[in-house]
Amino acid sequence: MRTQVAIIGSGPAGLLLGQLLHKAGVETVILERKSKDYVLSRIRAGVLEQGTVNLLAEAGVDARLRAEGLSHEGFALGFANRRLRIDLKDLVGKVVTVYGQTEVTRDLMAAREAAGLVTIYEADDVALHDFDGACPRVTWTESGRAQELACDFIAGCDGFHGPSRASLPEGSLQTFERVYPFGWLGVLADVPPCSHELIYAGHDRGFALCSMRSPTRSRYYVQCGADEDLSAWSDERFWDELRARLDPEAAAHVVTGPSIEKSIAPLRSFVAEPLRFGRLFLAGDAAHIVPPTGAKGLNLAASDVHYLAQGFAEHYGERSSAGLDGYSARALARIWKAERFSWWMTSLLHRFADQNSFDRRMQEAEFIYLEGSRAARTALAENYVGLPY
Ligand code: RFL
Ligand code: PHB
């Protein structure tokens, strides 16, 4: 089998890249380790920047997003029983759209299928070869049978644990990492959200986030220990802990119900540099991780893919290598800004085990500064809605 761009991973980065390349007349094959149903069962991001929405429109997959996505003009920060609204529309004239990553993935998969493009699910032992030369190859096994795909380029969109970054020779990458000493316990439930906008609450007991998927489906998170046992968290314990971390008004509006999904996610900041090695390009979580506090992970995957798709379109359409040559530097410039913002929001709102009373006062001072300064709120808002690209 042969294609122009072999894409490893059918998460949002791989699928969006496939769709943008299809629009540009470039052939792709996607190889995915898991089944389609498994990929669609992962509950992750919920907040899309306008730039991501625009890209999904460019890819021709925004019909359901426009009909069902919730436009949010602001969100709230909670601190010591107070709540501060960040009015995105007023501060920076932009909004964000609440629409689940699962739905983005579903729409992209449907468009790929409708266009008759090839995705190979349940591809085992995916391995990348010869990407430092002119003729890269990808091999895998399918129902125990060895398979091979020859290609011009490989796009590594296989998330943090995938084989793409791992196949780079020792010493070819520089990595930067911070692992946070806590995780997020997330619950999805078919209950109306406690507030019509998101609330990010920094409480003495730890961080909590009130988010949603629709007017009848809520997504909540509480900060928990990194190694906590999920079975120790009954629904009842979760709801009690959530309410204890919210201001009284928000807590009073929490409607409880049985969880339909419950999981613990670790928090990490990570960047690999550069994003290109020969004919292999890294994009999305394969190249970088942000803690979810700023809602940037999926959005960064989208901006990477925008730069990369442009590079491939220029290569095939205009016979120019400028876009591919500039990909790593262009993408990394935006990645580091989102890393800074996500690290800052995480530092502001979480409880750290080694935090002393001075550190806690610093968090409070930051919150009070935001309350009193439109300039500070504007800086927060311009990052939250997404820096331009
Ligand atoms: P993904 O989604 O991890 O997809 C990678 C795909 O590669 C496949 N794969 C392989 N395929 C073939 N062979 C192998 N050996 C393979 N190994 C792996 C995987 O099965 C998978 O299908 O990476 P991608 O596409 O780069 O997308 C990144 C986003 O998923 C991620 O950044 C976001 O979910 C992060 N994130 C959030 N981002 C936002 O922009 N806004 C949010 O509100 C937000 N909230 C979140 C989040 C992530 C969370 N978790 C669970 C980490 C909330 C949470 C709780
Ligand atoms: C979510 O709805 O899952 C969500 C929203 C905002 C975040 C992280 C996750 O910052």
Side-chain angles (χ1 to χ4, degrees), residues 166-205:
S167 21
L168 289 171
E170 185 114 352
S172 59
L173 275 185
Q174 204 179 350
T175 60
F176 305 84
E177 183 167 40
R178 165 161 300 179
V179 178
Y180 299 87
F182 42 73
W184 279 17
L185 170 62
V187 157
L188 189 69
D190 275 329
V191 292
C194 69
S195 154
H196 68 286
E197 291 181 344
L198 271 64
I199 303 174
Y200 292 81
H203 192 272
D204 278 341
R205 297 178 67 91

Side-chain angles (χ1 to χ4, degrees), residues 269-330:
S269 295
F270 174 87
V271 182
E273 289 184 351
L275 305 183
R276 175 184 191 172
F277 187 87
R279 288 178 170 258
L280 168 62
F281 295 84
L282 302 177
D285 279 13
H288 45 74
I289 296 288
V290 286
T293 327
K296 291 286 161 247
L298 168 60
N299 293 297
L300 263 190
S303 55
D304 288 357
V305 159
H306 163 72
Y307 297 133
L308 189 53
Q310 267 190 351
F312 283 133
E314 279 175 35
H315 172 86
Y316 287 106
E318 301 161 26
R319 298 272 143 209
S320 158
S321 67
L324 289 179
D325 292 342
Y327 166 68
S328 182
R330 256 180 113 190

